[in-house]
């Protein structure tokens, strides 16, 4: 697949062969936005290891703006859950009636069962990186934190750990509940744990909410 | 590493074993923001295959808001390059004098050598997904497109193809140069090609611009 180009220079470069690529593609296909978790906890050290791997994500100007908050105390988890319930009701009300009936049946959060809950933020005030690459596009700090969360997601799935992104939340309420610094911008709230099932089909497609469309529809030439 | 939990249900589930995980971690470590490319073109079909894999990224509400624009015509490439030069000069002026000298030496774009150039957008007006999950956080559409770009990055590296993110651009100028629909939000401009060198150390660290900090500095508990 890589053609007959000359090899890169660089010592100890790993060999990413066709077998690895096939399994990487399987990882991408089997990664799911998990909503149904078993309650058993992750083994000690799991989340710390996954956060360490997330640290290998790209970041604008090497700013590493990602901030991970492991949410452990019952009161804070309850505050996030209550905020989800409130926002979910508002989202339900915003849907067309026939869609709203469908929406109400979707189980949209694993907040009650997931043993591990992680909030991700971007520190928009970080001095690290000395501003490089973000002068015209400051949102690249947020994007860097998104890629760290996505890296964690893939690394988790490779360990058999499922992850789900909860976005039906009011960012200000989450920041308040978790008492994070004011310059931290909320990116997402993630549930982690062992998934009840494994699948290559998104739950929203199985539930009839939406279908995936083929890649060629999303590539144009200029 | 996955502990002694019960296996997930689900047929044909691939086995992500320790060997695969080790190679996945190597992929994360060897992925780089490539700036120095060889000029040889990518084999036909490469970018279409990589865009297809990017399509496996998560998206809010299964909205698939990512839009890929393969930039091929010399006039459009020249317009993007001119915009980069302008923005880079402004960014240089914004740095402290001692930093600016350093900055001027950094080679910040592979725009002249990279044989393949790809702009990524998020379609903020897409009806796909029926608004699910983005009521309180509409920026999750942008984040979905970021994860598609990141997926493409990893899939490219696994094929020996390097990628670099150019963010020193004025989004409005890029949208104008590429004549994309007004509701498409610019995420990033990416250079792809075979890298001159392979490395586990970010170029900005090698150049003395910034150092990476350890993961434990970025994980707190609440």
């Amino acid at each position: 697949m890589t053609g007959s180009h000359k090899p890169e220079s660089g010592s100890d470069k790993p060999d990413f062969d066709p077998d690895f690529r096939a399994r990487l593609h399987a990882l991408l296909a089997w990664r799911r936005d998990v909503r149904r978790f078993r309650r058993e906890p992750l083994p000690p050290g799991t989340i710390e290891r996954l956060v360490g791997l997330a640290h290998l994500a790209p970041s604008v100007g090497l700013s590493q703006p990602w901030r991970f908050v492991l949410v452990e105390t019952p009161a804070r988890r309850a505050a996030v859950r209550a905020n989800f319930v409130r926002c979910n009701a508002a989202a339900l009300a915003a849907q067309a009636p026939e869609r709203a009936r469908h929406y109400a049946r979707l189980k949209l959060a694993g907040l009650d069962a997931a043993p591990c809950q992680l909030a991700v933020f971007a520190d928009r005030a970080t001095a690290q990186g000395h501003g490089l690459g973000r002068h015209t596009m400051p949102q690249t700090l947020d994007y860097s934190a998104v890629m760290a969360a996505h890296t964690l997601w893939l690394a988790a799935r490779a360990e058999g750990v499922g992850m789900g992104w909860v976005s039906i939340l009011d960012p200000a309420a989450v920041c308040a509940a978790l008492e994070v610094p004011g310059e931290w911008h909320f990116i997402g709230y993630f549930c982690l744990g062992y998934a009840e099932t494994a699948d290559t089909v998104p739950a929203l497609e199985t539930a009839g909410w939406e279908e995936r469309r083929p890649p060629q529809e999303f590539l144009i030439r200029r």
Side-chain angles (χ1 to χ4, degrees), chain A:
Chain A
M1 290 170 81
T2 57
S4 56
H5 64 285
K6 289 178 294 182
E8 296 159 333
S9 63
S11 57
D12 303 323
K13 191 168 69 76
D15 177 31
F16 299 120
D17 59 13
D19 172 67
F20 170 74
R21 285 196 287 274
R23 292 206 282 168
L24 175 66
H25 301 171
L27 177 69
L28 297 173
W30 285 86
R31 178 212 54 74
R32 286 271 64 75
D33 195 2
V34 174
R35 301 294 162 179
R36 295 178 182 275
F37 296 93
R38 301 205 306 271
R39 287 179 183 273
E40 65 193 283
L42 299 179
T46 301
I47 195 65
E48 292 82 357
R49 182 176 57 246
L50 293 175
V51 166
L53 290 164
H55 205 68
L56 294 171
S59 65
V60 63
L62 207 52
S63 55
Q64 300 183 304
W66 41 73
R67 303 292 180 262
F68 295 94
V69 180
L70 194 54
V71 183
E72 297 178 312
T73 57
R76 295 195 201 270
R77 286 191 175 198
V80 172
R81 187 188 186 285
N83 183 250
F84 169 79
V85 169
R86 208 157 44 239
C87 294
N88 202 32
L92 181 62
Q95 290 285 341
E98 70 278 13
R99 277 271 151 199
R101 279 191 295 276
H102 202 146
Y103 188 96
R105 285 196 304 271
L106 294 167
K107 183 183 167 66
L108 290 166
L111 292 172
D112 289 329
C116 178
Q117 301 187 15
L118 187 70
V120 177
F121 298 83
D123 181 356
R124 288 181 168 181
T126 185
Q128 193 178 333
H130 308 283
L132 183 67
R134 57 191 206 241
H135 191 64
T136 55
M137 297 190 68
Q139 63 272 38
T140 49
L141 284 170
D142 302 345
Y143 298 169
S144 302
V146 168
M147 291 189 287
H150 184 235
T151 302
L152 196 154
W153 206 335
L154 295 172
R157 183 64 189 87
E159 294 196 18
V161 173
M163 181 160 141
W165 183 324
V166 183
S167 61
I168 303 178
L169 292 166
D170 168 29
V174 175
C175 290
L178 302 184
E179 292 182 87
V180 296
E183 59 273 27
W184 287 19
H185 177 74
F186 179 62
I187 298 294
Y189 194 87
F190 298 90
C191 295
L192 291 105
Y194 296 114
E196 286 189 355
T197 57
D199 211 328
T200 57
V201 180
L204 292 179
E205 187 163 308
T206 306
W209 181 264
E210 186 55 274
E211 291 179 2
R212 288 171 292 176
R213 283 156 214 190
Q216 55 270 28
E217 291 189 17
F218 301 123
L219 175 63
I220 64 172
R221 291 161 194 273
R222 283 288 191 267

